[in-house]
Amino acid sequence: ITASGIPTLVSANMPTGSVISVHTADFTGTATHSSSSWADIPNLTLTFTPASATSKIYITGHVMVGTEFDTMCGIRIIAAGNNISTIGDTAGNRTKAHTGLGYWNIQNNYEILAVPINAVHTLSSASSTIVKLQAINGDTSGHAFGINKSAANDPDATWQGRFASNLTVMEIAG
């Protein structure tokens, strides 16, 4: 068989469920978050143009969160301008997020935990699409949580770590 006998696969001809494209962003710096308003997590924003309006996107990754007493870390996903994270119980005054760490009420200012991101979203357009992660402190105490570092105590010591957070978006043929 010659190369001219092999059909060319283009994204429009990919079987349903095929990965068409992969986009990734890493945040290797550090940040501190104390705001009780949603704010973009630095560097965890992706912009891409889907191959088809019928595609789905699989959103995955993780955010490394350093906890502090009297904080609640919520993480949500914004895709094409929509909050796709409003899942779960919507009653009352609870902070509604995709994932995160519940109210932290122990005095451990060194702990750093991975908060996973996993979601599937159906696109409605083949226009340029933005997917980003946002964070909120659901507690209004003014205390902060760290991203990619511990929260309050961040000594320059061999027993303390620095980490990276990641956002990956895979376009899946619909």
Side-chain angles (χ1 to χ4, degrees):
I1 204 166
T2 64
S4 62
I6 299 173
T8 302
L9 287 176
V10 294
S11 59
N13 298 332
M14 298 293 284
T16 300
S18 298
V19 175
I20 297 172
S21 63
V22 177
H23 311 275
T24 189
D26 295 306
F27 177 42
T28 59
T30 62
T32 302
H33 192 87
S34 61
S35 176
S36 58
S37 298
W38 289 102
D40 294 353
I41 298 174
N43 294 24
L44 295 185
T45 298
L46 292 168
T47 303
F48 64 97
T49 301
S52 170
T54 62
S55 293
K56 294 182 183 297
I57 53 174
Y58 173 55
I59 304 160
T60 188
H62 65 277
V63 178
M64 298 301 293
V65 176
T67 59
E68 182 183 15
F69 172 77
D70 216 14
T71 60
M72 181 290 223
C73 169
I75 306 291
R76 74 177 181 180
I77 305 165
I78 304 294
N82 299 306
N83 174 9
I84 65 167
S85 303
T86 53
I87 56 177
D89 184 4
T90 58
N93 295 314
R94 295 171 188 89
T95 299
K96 296 151 191 77
H98 171 75
T99 190
L101 299 172
Y103 180 74
W104 204 259
N105 195 20
I106 62 171
Q107 197 72 349
N108 185 351
N109 294 326
Y110 299 105
E111 186 132 295
I112 302 169
L113 303 168
V115 176
I117 305 295
N118 287 293
V120 175
H121 179 65
T122 302
L123 296 174
S124 58
S125 155
S127 299
S128 180
T129 300
I130 297 171
V131 176
K132 62 184 175 179
L133 299 182
Q134 294 184 327
I136 190 172
N137 182 357
D139 187 88
T140 59
S141 66
H143 290 264
F145 57 84
I147 298 178
N148 293 342
K149 67 182 191 86
S150 61
N153 296 316
D154 189 33
D156 183 10
T158 58
W159 54 266
Q160 187 58 286
R162 282 287 202 266
F163 301 92
S165 297
N166 172 271
L167 172 63
T168 299
V169 175
M170 292 181 242
E171 183 181 358
I172 311 294

